[in-house]
Amino acid sequence: MDNVTHTFVGLGIGELVQRSLPAEPDEARQRTRHRLLLTACAVASNFPDLDLVLTDLLPAPLGYLLHHRGHTHTLLYAIPQALLLLAALWLLWPNARRLLRHSGQARLGLGLAIGLGFLLHMAMDFLYSYGIHPLAPFDPRWFYGGLVFIVEPVFWVAFGVPLALAIPRRFLRGVALAGLAAFLGYVTWRGYLDPVALAGLLLMGGIIAALRITRMQSRRALALSALVSVAFIAVQGGTSSVGRARVEAALQRADPASRVLDVAMTAFPAQPLCWSFVSIEENAGQGSYRIRRGLLNLAPDVLAHCPAALADPAARDTESAGVSFASAWQGSLATLRTLARNDCHVNAWLRFARMPAVDAEVASDLRFSATPRGNFTTMDLAQASREPCGNVPRWAYPRADLLGAALH
């Protein structure tokens, strides 16, 4: 997920923890605890992304692909990171240090804020289709959620509204809410959100705001925010599963001789009915594999069109209602396996690639071929060969099922 979303959710959960604990005996301590818990949870919710400093350990793009969302995004290595953050807060914040010496509630709240912050970061990164390997080094496999868009406005509204209304100054509250509304209007105008999704977001924000404005405890508004977020993820999980089954059936009808290995689903913002997908199929008899891109509308009779900005204009309808195929890439299994066995750079790159389009010149993970700034996974094999191999994390190969004996 993007770091703005990580921050919003971290601040919201930190505020929820703060309001769920008994108050400190005096206002100064309470104010310090409030700032401490929000800061700790927001920083912990972003802390694992400091692994970006490790990307220079390998030449581009391998450094980013293999070291970002790497060791710092594992449950084991969350522990030393949490201790490091705790030490930094203790050393650099004298008021917090004095509070923690005397308040058991503050110590409990800080432990919850930091622990939840790190878990939230990994959980939210899992929700996107990029993937993480949280159980490494015990289990080096990648795990992919593929449930929400990388910039998900549901989380912005769910946590942004109660956080904005908690700002003491009315003018700043108005600026924060106006900024959030402007963001929603802009992404709708640009074609990333459809009007139905926008209306749903505004209704959700209004309900959460009403809990705060009517002087009910803002803890209830924040609890509702968390509940709405969990419910949205559950809905996305259900529609993603249904959608994947439909895509697999459409692929099988289109080419019964091929075996569908995987379908990577990418959500549209705040719209459970719309998905883009990238699939990979193997035809062992022909010694080839195919990667397709496409679009899925789970209810074309209800929603005529998915948001235009994320739709592929080249997608064409298939015999399966709501499933459209766009571009297809065909590759040689022999070429892929030979490079995996003999080229250390390709072998390292294949520890990341889930949809590997590889030929004698270039390797690209086609999950990211539609990103606005180009495919950041693309590796020029001739250029990569000029760099030494080394510092390669031992992540599992996402396409071990395609590589077979080439890995041994």
Side-chain angles (χ1 to χ4, degrees):
M1 301 295 291
D2 70 289
N3 289 99
V4 175
T5 305
H6 281 307
T7 301
F8 272 5
V9 176
L11 288 171
I13 297 301
E15 183 74 36
L16 182 58
V17 171
Q18 157 70 8
R19 292 180 178 273
S20 299
L21 295 172
E24 297 295 327
D26 63 75
E27 185 177 347
R29 282 188 178 185
Q30 179 72 0
R31 192 162 51 245
T32 297
R33 193 184 80 185
H34 189 190
R35 293 170 180 167
L36 175 64
L37 298 194
L38 264 67
T39 300
C41 200
V43 172
S45 293
N46 287 277
F47 204 92
D49 281 342
L50 291 176
D51 63 5
L52 287 169
V53 303
L54 303 176
T55 57
D56 288 337
L57 293 176
L58 284 167
L62 292 177
Y64 183 87
L65 302 181
L66 296 176
H67 286 295
H68 182 42
R69 297 195 178 103
H71 297 291
T72 60
H73 289 64
T74 66
L75 292 171
L76 178 64
Y77 288 106
I79 297 171
Q81 291 179 88
L83 294 175
L84 179 61
L85 176 56
L86 180 61
L89 292 170
W90 179 269
L91 293 172
L92 302 177
W93 199 334
N95 285 347
R97 186 164 63 244
R98 284 191 290 271
L99 172 68
L100 293 169
R101 283 194 178 112
H102 299 97
S103 171
Q105 297 295 337
R107 291 193 294 271
L108 172 63
L110 181 59
L112 288 172
I114 291 178
L116 289 172
F118 278 98
L119 291 175
L120 281 169
H121 186 101
M122 284 184 278
M124 295 183 71
D125 276 359
F126 162 76
L127 293 176
Y128 182 52
S129 60
Y130 189 99
I132 59 171
H133 17 65
L135 304 180
F138 310 107
D139 184 346
R141 288 178 299 164
W142 289 83
F143 292 86
Y144 308 99
L147 301 180
V148 302
F149 192 64
I150 189 170
V151 181
E152 180 48 68
V154 167
F155 299 142
W156 286 46
V157 173
F159 289 98
V161 168
L163 287 171
L165 290 173
I167 297 173
R169 296 187 181 180
R170 180 179 298 179
F171 172 74
L172 294 179
R173 284 201 303 270
V175 169
L177 291 171
L180 184 57
F183 166 75
L184 295 177
Y186 175 74
V187 295
T188 303
W189 173 65
R190 289 297 304 270
Y192 292 96
L193 272 180
D194 63 81
V196 175
L198 175 63
L201 289 168
L202 293 176
L203 176 62
M204 178 181 71
I207 293 172
I208 293 172
L211 290 179
R212 183 73 175 83
I213 292 172
T214 55
R215 297 187 180 279
M216 296 177 74
Q217 290 184 6
S218 61
R219 182 177 66 177
R220 296 187 183 182
L222 288 162
L224 178 60
S225 299
L227 183 62
V228 165
S229 299
V230 171
F232 174 70
I233 292 167
V235 169
Q236 292 289 101
T239 55
S240 175
S241 180
V242 171
R244 183 177 291 105
R246 284 197 194 177
V247 171
E248 289 177 354
L251 291 166
Q252 206 62 62
R253 279 192 291 270
D255 184 2
S258 292
R259 179 170 66 107
V260 179
L261 298 178
D262 194 9
V263 178
M265 306 288 288
T266 299
F268 277 51
Q271 180 48 271
L273 298 178
C274 290
W275 299 80
S276 61
F277 65 86
V278 182
S279 63
I280 185 164
E281 308 157 76
E282 177 189 19
N283 190 319
Q286 295 182 0
S288 65
Y289 69 103
R290 180 192 299 117
I291 301 175
R292 299 183 194 258
R293 297 187 60 83
L295 180 68
L296 173 67
N297 183 341
L298 282 171
D301 295 333
V302 175
L303 186 67
H305 301 287
C306 290
L310 295 172
D312 190 330
R316 298 291 179 264
D317 292 341
T318 68
E319 295 179 4
S320 301
V323 179
S324 304
F325 291 152
S327 58
W329 184 93
Q330 188 104 351
S332 163
L333 287 172
T335 299
L336 176 67
R337 291 168 180 172
T338 299
L339 288 168
R341 186 167 48 246
N342 299 330
D343 188 320
C344 62
H345 298 92
V346 174
N347 188 285
W349 181 86
L350 285 168
R351 293 184 183 275
F352 169 83
R354 186 180 178 188
M355 298 291 166
V358 180
D359 57 30
E361 297 178 352
V362 172
S364 291
D365 187 328
L366 295 190
R367 283 180 295 167
F368 306 102
S369 61
T371 51
R373 297 182 181 179
N375 193 331
F376 61 89
T377 70
T378 298
M379 181 173 69
D380 183 290
L381 304 193
Q383 182 176 343
S385 66
R386 303 187 188 106
E387 301 285 346
C389 291
N391 298 318
V392 176
R394 309 304 288 180
W395 311 134
Y397 300 92
R399 287 277 64 88
D401 52 2
L402 199 64
L403 298 172
L407 302 180
H408 304 294

